mmCIF file of all heavy atoms in Angstrom:
data_model
loop_
_atom_site.group_PDB
_atom_site.id
_atom_site.type_symbol
_atom_site.label_atom_id
_atom_site.label_comp_id
_atom_site.label_asym_id
_atom_site.label_seq_id
_atom_site.Cartn_x
_atom_site.Cartn_y
_atom_site.Cartn_z
ATOM 1 N N MET A 1350 -20.572 37.734 -13.688
ATOM 2 C CA MET A 1350 -19.610 37.983 -12.615
ATOM 3 C C MET A 1350 -20.282 38.101 -11.232
ATOM 4 O O MET A 1350 -21.288 38.768 -11.076
ATOM 5 C CB MET A 1350 -18.844 39.252 -12.974
ATOM 6 C CG MET A 1350 -18.004 39.845 -11.868
ATOM 7 S SD MET A 1350 -17.072 41.206 -12.590
ATOM 8 C CE MET A 1350 -18.270 42.482 -12.671
ATOM 9 N N PRO A 1377 -16.304 41.311 10.258
ATOM 10 C CA PRO A 1377 -17.214 41.516 9.112
ATOM 11 C C PRO A 1377 -17.764 40.167 8.615
ATOM 12 O O PRO A 1377 -17.083 39.169 8.649
ATOM 13 C CB PRO A 1377 -16.328 42.180 8.055
ATOM 14 C CG PRO A 1377 -14.926 41.934 8.498
ATOM 15 C CD PRO A 1377 -14.942 41.717 9.991
ATOM 16 N N THR A 1397 -27.509 26.921 -1.813
ATOM 17 C CA THR A 1397 -27.767 27.432 -0.477
ATOM 18 C C THR A 1397 -26.821 28.570 -0.119
ATOM 19 O O THR A 1397 -25.965 28.944 -0.923
ATOM 20 C CB THR A 1397 -27.636 26.258 0.546
ATOM 21 O OG1 THR A 1397 -28.162 26.698 1.810
ATOM 22 C CG2 THR A 1397 -26.171 25.851 0.724
ATOM 23 N N ALA A 1451 -0.178 32.229 -9.567
ATOM 24 C CA ALA A 1451 -0.223 30.907 -10.200
ATOM 25 C C ALA A 1451 -1.178 30.004 -9.447
ATOM 26 O O ALA A 1451 -1.967 29.271 -10.057
ATOM 27 C CB ALA A 1451 1.201 30.297 -10.199
ATOM 28 N N ALA A 1528 9.295 21.672 14.488
ATOM 29 C CA ALA A 1528 8.959 23.023 13.949
ATOM 30 C C ALA A 1528 7.626 23.009 13.234
ATOM 31 O O ALA A 1528 7.090 24.071 12.929
ATOM 32 C CB ALA A 1528 10.058 23.471 12.996
ATOM 33 N N GLY A 1536 13.079 12.373 -2.582
ATOM 34 C CA GLY A 1536 13.207 12.428 -4.056
ATOM 35 C C GLY A 1536 14.251 11.409 -4.420
ATOM 36 O O GLY A 1536 15.398 11.733 -4.660
ATOM 37 N N LEU A 1537 13.804 10.138 -4.487
ATOM 38 C CA LEU A 1537 14.793 9.056 -4.586
ATOM 39 C C LEU A 1537 15.287 8.823 -6.014
ATOM 40 O O LEU A 1537 16.102 7.953 -6.257
ATOM 41 C CB LEU A 1537 14.176 7.772 -4.017
ATOM 42 C CG LEU A 1537 13.757 7.873 -2.560
ATOM 43 C CD1 LEU A 1537 13.184 6.549 -2.033
ATOM 44 C CD2 LEU A 1537 14.912 8.329 -1.668
ATOM 45 N N PRO A 1541 20.630 14.024 -3.696
ATOM 46 C CA PRO A 1541 21.466 12.908 -3.257
ATOM 47 C C PRO A 1541 20.648 11.676 -2.845
ATOM 48 O O PRO A 1541 21.215 10.631 -2.518
ATOM 49 C CB PRO A 1541 22.168 13.499 -2.014
ATOM 50 C CG PRO A 1541 21.132 14.406 -1.409
ATOM 51 C CD PRO A 1541 20.360 14.963 -2.610
ATOM 52 N N GLU A 1548 16.891 1.040 3.689
ATOM 53 C CA GLU A 1548 16.815 1.046 5.156
ATOM 54 C C GLU A 1548 16.987 2.475 5.723
ATOM 55 O O GLU A 1548 16.390 2.791 6.757
ATOM 56 C CB GLU A 1548 17.891 0.125 5.761
ATOM 57 C CG GLU A 1548 17.892 -1.327 5.315
ATOM 58 C CD GLU A 1548 18.441 -1.507 3.908
ATOM 59 O OE1 GLU A 1548 19.533 -0.982 3.605
ATOM 60 O OE2 GLU A 1548 17.749 -2.162 3.090
ATOM 61 N N ILE A 1579 7.486 1.219 -6.533
ATOM 62 C CA ILE A 1579 6.169 1.123 -5.882
ATOM 63 C C ILE A 1579 6.240 0.164 -4.698
ATOM 64 O O ILE A 1579 5.731 0.478 -3.597
ATOM 65 C CB ILE A 1579 5.117 0.641 -6.919
ATOM 66 C CG1 ILE A 1579 4.864 1.714 -7.993
ATOM 67 C CG2 ILE A 1579 3.792 0.275 -6.206
ATOM 68 C CD1 ILE A 1579 4.235 2.982 -7.501
ATOM 69 N N TRP A 1606 2.749 1.590 -20.383
ATOM 70 C CA TRP A 1606 1.462 2.197 -20.805
ATOM 71 C C TRP A 1606 0.361 1.154 -20.772
ATOM 72 O O TRP A 1606 0.573 -0.020 -21.120
ATOM 73 C CB TRP A 1606 1.578 2.766 -22.231
ATOM 74 C CG TRP A 1606 2.308 4.064 -22.306
ATOM 75 C CD1 TRP A 1606 2.910 4.734 -21.258
ATOM 76 C CD2 TRP A 1606 2.550 4.862 -23.452
ATOM 77 N NE1 TRP A 1606 3.504 5.876 -21.707
ATOM 78 C CE2 TRP A 1606 3.289 6.005 -23.040
ATOM 79 C CE3 TRP A 1606 2.221 4.733 -24.823
ATOM 80 C CZ2 TRP A 1606 3.681 6.991 -23.942
ATOM 81 C CZ3 TRP A 1606 2.615 5.724 -25.694
ATOM 82 C CH2 TRP A 1606 3.329 6.822 -25.270
ATOM 83 N N TYR A 1631 -0.869 15.319 -11.317
ATOM 84 C CA TYR A 1631 -1.284 16.508 -12.066
ATOM 85 C C TYR A 1631 -1.783 16.049 -13.456
ATOM 86 O O TYR A 1631 -1.396 14.993 -13.939
ATOM 87 C CB TYR A 1631 -0.144 17.540 -12.171
ATOM 88 C CG TYR A 1631 1.158 17.022 -12.737
ATOM 89 C CD1 TYR A 1631 1.339 16.855 -14.107
ATOM 90 C CD2 TYR A 1631 2.195 16.674 -11.898
ATOM 91 C CE1 TYR A 1631 2.546 16.367 -14.609
ATOM 92 C CE2 TYR A 1631 3.409 16.209 -12.401
ATOM 93 C CZ TYR A 1631 3.562 16.050 -13.766
ATOM 94 O OH TYR A 1631 4.762 15.558 -14.244
ATOM 95 N N TYR A 1633 -1.511 16.230 -16.832
ATOM 96 C CA TYR A 1633 -0.799 16.481 -18.088
ATOM 97 C C TYR A 1633 -0.122 15.205 -18.556
ATOM 98 O O TYR A 1633 0.160 14.309 -17.742
ATOM 99 C CB TYR A 1633 0.248 17.570 -17.932
ATOM 100 C CG TYR A 1633 -0.358 18.952 -17.647
ATOM 101 C CD1 TYR A 1633 -0.640 19.318 -16.347
ATOM 102 C CD2 TYR A 1633 -0.657 19.834 -18.661
ATOM 103 C CE1 TYR A 1633 -1.218 20.550 -16.051
ATOM 104 C CE2 TYR A 1633 -1.197 21.077 -18.403
ATOM 105 C CZ TYR A 1633 -1.492 21.424 -17.080
ATOM 106 O OH TYR A 1633 -2.052 22.664 -16.822
ATOM 107 N N GLU A 1637 8.055 17.834 -16.093
ATOM 108 C CA GLU A 1637 9.170 18.775 -16.211
ATOM 109 C C GLU A 1637 10.210 18.446 -15.150
ATOM 110 O O GLU A 1637 9.848 18.280 -13.996
ATOM 111 C CB GLU A 1637 8.672 20.213 -16.009
ATOM 112 C CG GLU A 1637 9.749 21.262 -16.327
ATOM 113 C CD GLU A 1637 10.202 22.016 -15.082
ATOM 114 O OE1 GLU A 1637 9.329 22.361 -14.278
ATOM 115 O OE2 GLU A 1637 11.406 22.220 -14.920
ATOM 116 N N PRO A 1665 12.566 12.086 -29.179
ATOM 117 C CA PRO A 1665 13.307 13.344 -29.373
ATOM 118 C C PRO A 1665 12.374 14.532 -29.623
ATOM 119 O O PRO A 1665 12.670 15.631 -29.193
ATOM 120 C CB PRO A 1665 14.170 13.067 -30.615
ATOM 121 C CG PRO A 1665 14.287 11.557 -30.662
ATOM 122 C CD PRO A 1665 13.043 11.009 -30.069
ATOM 123 N N LYS A 1682 13.421 24.575 -27.648
ATOM 124 C CA LYS A 1682 13.592 23.625 -28.756
ATOM 125 C C LYS A 1682 13.584 22.185 -28.245
ATOM 126 O O LYS A 1682 13.981 21.927 -27.116
ATOM 127 C CB LYS A 1682 14.865 23.905 -29.513
ATOM 128 C CG LYS A 1682 14.902 25.242 -30.238
ATOM 129 C CD LYS A 1682 16.128 25.362 -31.156
ATOM 130 C CE LYS A 1682 16.051 26.590 -32.038
ATOM 131 N NZ LYS A 1682 16.103 27.843 -31.248
ATOM 132 N N ARG A 1691 22.438 20.801 -35.004
ATOM 133 C CA ARG A 1691 23.817 20.399 -34.792
ATOM 134 C C ARG A 1691 24.277 19.365 -35.846
ATOM 135 O O ARG A 1691 25.391 18.856 -35.761
ATOM 136 C CB ARG A 1691 23.973 19.763 -33.407
ATOM 137 C CG ARG A 1691 23.770 20.753 -32.241
ATOM 138 C CD ARG A 1691 23.664 20.057 -30.898
ATOM 139 N NE ARG A 1691 24.937 19.476 -30.455
ATOM 140 C CZ ARG A 1691 25.863 20.134 -29.817
ATOM 141 N NH1 ARG A 1691 25.678 21.413 -29.505
ATOM 142 N NH2 ARG A 1691 26.989 19.534 -29.459
ATOM 143 N N GLU A 1718 19.895 23.312 -16.423
ATOM 144 C CA GLU A 1718 19.015 22.860 -17.503
ATOM 145 C C GLU A 1718 17.712 22.367 -16.914
ATOM 146 O O GLU A 1718 17.650 21.931 -15.788
ATOM 147 C CB GLU A 1718 19.676 21.725 -18.312
ATOM 148 C CG GLU A 1718 20.294 20.567 -17.473
ATOM 149 C CD GLU A 1718 19.391 19.354 -17.296
ATOM 150 O OE1 GLU A 1718 18.218 19.393 -17.744
ATOM 151 O OE2 GLU A 1718 19.860 18.372 -16.688
ATOM 152 N N TRP A 1736 -9.003 6.984 -9.293
ATOM 153 C CA TRP A 1736 -8.742 6.215 -8.078
ATOM 154 C C TRP A 1736 -9.252 6.983 -6.860
ATOM 155 O O TRP A 1736 -9.049 8.198 -6.750
ATOM 156 C CB TRP A 1736 -7.225 5.943 -7.925
ATOM 157 C CG TRP A 1736 -6.921 4.902 -6.848
ATOM 158 C CD1 TRP A 1736 -7.582 3.732 -6.633
ATOM 159 C CD2 TRP A 1736 -5.895 4.999 -5.863
ATOM 160 N NE1 TRP A 1736 -6.984 3.064 -5.568
ATOM 161 C CE2 TRP A 1736 -5.954 3.824 -5.070
ATOM 162 C CE3 TRP A 1736 -4.896 5.923 -5.542
ATOM 163 C CZ2 TRP A 1736 -5.104 3.570 -4.006
ATOM 164 C CZ3 TRP A 1736 -4.030 5.685 -4.496
ATOM 165 C CH2 TRP A 1736 -4.116 4.498 -3.723
ATOM 166 N N VAL A 1778 -14.025 17.833 -7.144
ATOM 167 C CA VAL A 1778 -13.798 18.826 -6.101
ATOM 168 C C VAL A 1778 -13.350 18.158 -4.819
ATOM 169 O O VAL A 1778 -12.446 18.614 -4.107
ATOM 170 C CB VAL A 1778 -15.097 19.667 -5.887
ATOM 171 C CG1 VAL A 1778 -15.048 20.404 -4.554
ATOM 172 C CG2 VAL A 1778 -15.272 20.656 -7.055
ATOM 173 N N GLY A 1800 -17.302 26.218 11.180
ATOM 174 C CA GLY A 1800 -16.186 25.992 12.098
ATOM 175 C C GLY A 1800 -14.846 25.820 11.360
ATOM 176 O O GLY A 1800 -13.790 25.948 11.958
ATOM 177 N N VAL A 1825 -3.347 32.852 -17.134
ATOM 178 C CA VAL A 1825 -4.325 32.460 -16.080
ATOM 179 C C VAL A 1825 -5.544 31.845 -16.733
ATOM 180 O O VAL A 1825 -5.853 32.098 -17.894
ATOM 181 C CB VAL A 1825 -4.701 33.634 -15.154
ATOM 182 C CG1 VAL A 1825 -3.492 34.177 -14.423
ATOM 183 C CG2 VAL A 1825 -5.456 34.718 -15.888
#
Side-chain angles (χ1 to χ4, degrees):
M1350 168 173 77
T1397 192
L1537 301 182
E1548 303 75 49
I1579 292 294
W1606 283 4
Y1631 54 79
Y1633 293 87
E1637 188 247 317
K1682 294 190 172 65
R1691 294 170 69 86
E1718 49 96 356
W1736 191 45
V1778 163
V1825 299

